[in-house]
């Protein structure tokens, strides 16, 4: 597959995982008593763990690919699935793609140039069982991890900010929100996560932290816009990486509403696992 096509898509998936924070989209209810910034952000982080489905729009800039935008629908429970349409705006035609994750397989398509390389078929399939790879290897391809991880859980990053403060109030998507901001270092975040009592949550958080470390970022400036239900309507993360600036904003839309993701029709799919299997059998013959 054309590397110029795959590279921005994979990086875009990583950007989504790195940039997302706590999420919510409910109507504002009666206001609760004023909470400290730390308590409010911690409550939003806790609320994020109850999310079963979500959709959001990501815009911004990643260190290697430049301007990126994406629309995502994700089902986390009871089974995992995702649909993402992404554009690396500075990559031209090669930077447009769609990714779907269904039943443990990732489908990549939506790019005319890629279709030309696959005899007119529009999708290429990466299947865990067929390829015989583990989850860590699949994560390197940039697809499965985004469906297996609730991006809202990374809101805990902001709880580790020593300078966390309430900036003011703003309307986001027609909803009144409170704007919080803080700067966090990777070292302080790691210490905070290592104290997490929930082993599963701790493991996910530490893996998310590693993604930033691999980018060469040592501190992050984070903004969170929270509604009256202590759910986040918008989240922004900024940092200086080894290969450039990271500046990504996530605007959350629907939460806990039905999400349906269908696999492409088999006639339009090139199965990478089957190709590898046929190639191996041919070599043995």
């Amino acid at each position: 597959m054309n590397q110029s096509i795959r590279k921005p898509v994979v990086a875009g998936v990583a950007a989504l995982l790195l940039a997302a924070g706590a999420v919510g989209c409910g109507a504002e209810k009666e206001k609760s008593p004023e909470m400290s910034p730390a308590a409010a952000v911690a409550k939003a982080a806790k609320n994020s763990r109850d999310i079963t489905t979500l959709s959001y729009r990501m815009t911004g800039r990643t260190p290697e690919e430049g301007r990126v935008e994406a629309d995502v629908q994700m089902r986390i429970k009871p089974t995992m699935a995702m649909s993402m349409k992404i554009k690396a705006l500075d990559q031209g035609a090669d930077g447009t793609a769609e990714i779907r994750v269904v039943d443990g397989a990732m489908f990549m398509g939506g790019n005319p140039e890629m279709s030309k390389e696959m005899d007119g078929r529009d999708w290429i399939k990466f299947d865990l069982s067929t390829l015989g790879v583990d989850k860590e290897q699949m994560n390197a391809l940039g697809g499965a991890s985004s469906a297996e991880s609730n991006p809202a859980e990374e809101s805990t990053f902001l709880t580790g900010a020593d300078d966390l403060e309430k900036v003011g109030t703003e309307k986001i998507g027609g909803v009144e929100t409170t704007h919080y901001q803080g700067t966090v270092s990777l070292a302080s975040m790691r210490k905070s996560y290592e104290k997490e009592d929930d082993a599963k949550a701790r493991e996910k958080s530490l893996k998310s932290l590693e993604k930033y470390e691999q980018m060469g970022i040592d501190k992050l400036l984070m903004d969170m816009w929270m509604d009256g239900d202590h759910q986040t309507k918008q989240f922004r993360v900024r940092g200086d990486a080894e290969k450039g600036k990271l500046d990504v904003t996530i605007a959350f839309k629907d939460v806990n509403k039905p999400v349906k993701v269908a696999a492409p029709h088999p006639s339009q799919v090139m199965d990478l696992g089957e190709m590898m299997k046929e190639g191996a059998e041919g070599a043995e013959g």
Side-chain angles (χ1 to χ4, degrees):
M1 180 169 50
N2 190 319
Q3 293 296 315
S4 64
I5 297 172
R6 185 169 69 87
K7 182 179 178 181
V9 173
V10 173
V13 177
L16 290 173
L17 293 173
L18 293 171
V23 55
C25 214
E28 184 175 359
K29 297 180 180 179
E30 184 178 349
K31 291 184 178 179
S32 58
E34 185 76 14
M35 299 178 70
S36 69
V41 171
K43 187 169 184 178
K46 183 177 180 180
N47 289 342
S48 73
R49 297 179 183 177
D50 296 327
I51 294 171
T52 58
T53 65
L54 67 155
S55 64
Y56 55 91
R57 179 169 178 77
M58 184 273 284
T59 56
R61 177 177 295 276
T62 60
E64 295 185 357
E65 287 66 40
R67 296 173 301 146
V68 181
E69 63 182 32
D71 290 285
V72 182
Q73 294 184 77
M74 182 182 296
R75 184 178 69 235
I76 302 163
K77 303 174 183 177
T79 58
M80 296 171 290
M82 181 195 72
S83 172
M84 175 173 61
K85 295 181 179 180
I86 184 169
K87 292 181 180 180
L89 301 177
D90 296 328
Q91 301 290 333
D94 283 347
T96 300
E98 180 177 354
I99 292 176
R100 298 181 193 176
V101 178
V102 187
D103 298 329
M106 181 181 75
F107 299 87
M108 186 183 297
N111 187 292
E113 294 302 315
M114 188 169 70
S115 180
K116 292 178 182 179
E117 298 180 7
M118 300 189 301
D119 299 326
R121 283 176 284 187
D122 298 323
W123 298 86
I124 185 167
K125 177 182 178 181
F126 303 87
D127 191 297
L128 282 171
S129 58
T130 303
L131 290 173
V133 299
D134 58 26
K135 289 185 178 181
E136 291 300 320
Q137 290 171 312
M138 190 62 175
N139 287 349
L141 294 174
S145 59
S146 54
E148 293 173 359
S149 173
N150 176 359
E153 293 179 3
E154 293 194 13
S155 63
T156 54
F157 281 8
L158 197 52
T159 63
D162 293 331
D163 60 348
L164 180 61
E165 63 177 348
K166 175 182 174 180
V167 177
T169 58
E170 300 174 42
K171 277 195 174 181
I172 301 294
V175 176
E176 192 71 28
T177 69
T178 303
H179 180 186
Y180 297 94
Q181 185 181 83
T183 305
V184 293
S185 70
L186 298 190
S188 65
M189 283 192 286
R190 179 170 288 280
K191 289 181 181 179
S192 175
Y193 290 152
E194 289 174 347
K195 297 177 182 178
E196 170 65 57
D197 294 330
D198 187 322
K200 187 175 182 180
R202 181 173 63 250
E203 181 182 0
K204 286 184 178 180
S205 297
L206 289 173
K207 285 184 177 180
S208 298
L209 182 60
E210 289 171 1
K211 297 184 180 74
Y212 285 107
E213 292 172 334
Q214 291 169 2
M215 296 171 71
I217 295 176
D218 58 7
K219 64 180 179 179
L220 296 164
L221 176 61
M222 294 186 162
D223 294 82
M224 176 187 288
W225 289 261
M226 186 187 304
D227 69 14
D229 294 327
H230 293 93
Q231 307 276 14
T232 300
K233 294 292 296 182
Q234 186 167 283
F235 189 83
R236 184 182 183 187
V237 58
R238 286 169 280 177
D240 293 319
E242 291 179 352
K243 295 185 179 180
K245 297 282 187 180
L246 173 69
D247 185 350
V248 179
T249 298
I250 301 289
F252 296 101
K253 296 184 282 188
D254 294 329
V255 175
N256 293 337
K257 293 186 178 181
V259 169
K260 295 182 179 180
V261 182
H265 193 278
S267 65
Q268 294 299 310
V269 175
M270 175 177 287
D271 191 318
L272 181 61
E274 291 297 323
M275 291 174 56
M276 293 174 64
K277 183 178 178 181
E278 292 174 1
E281 291 176 348
E284 291 177 359

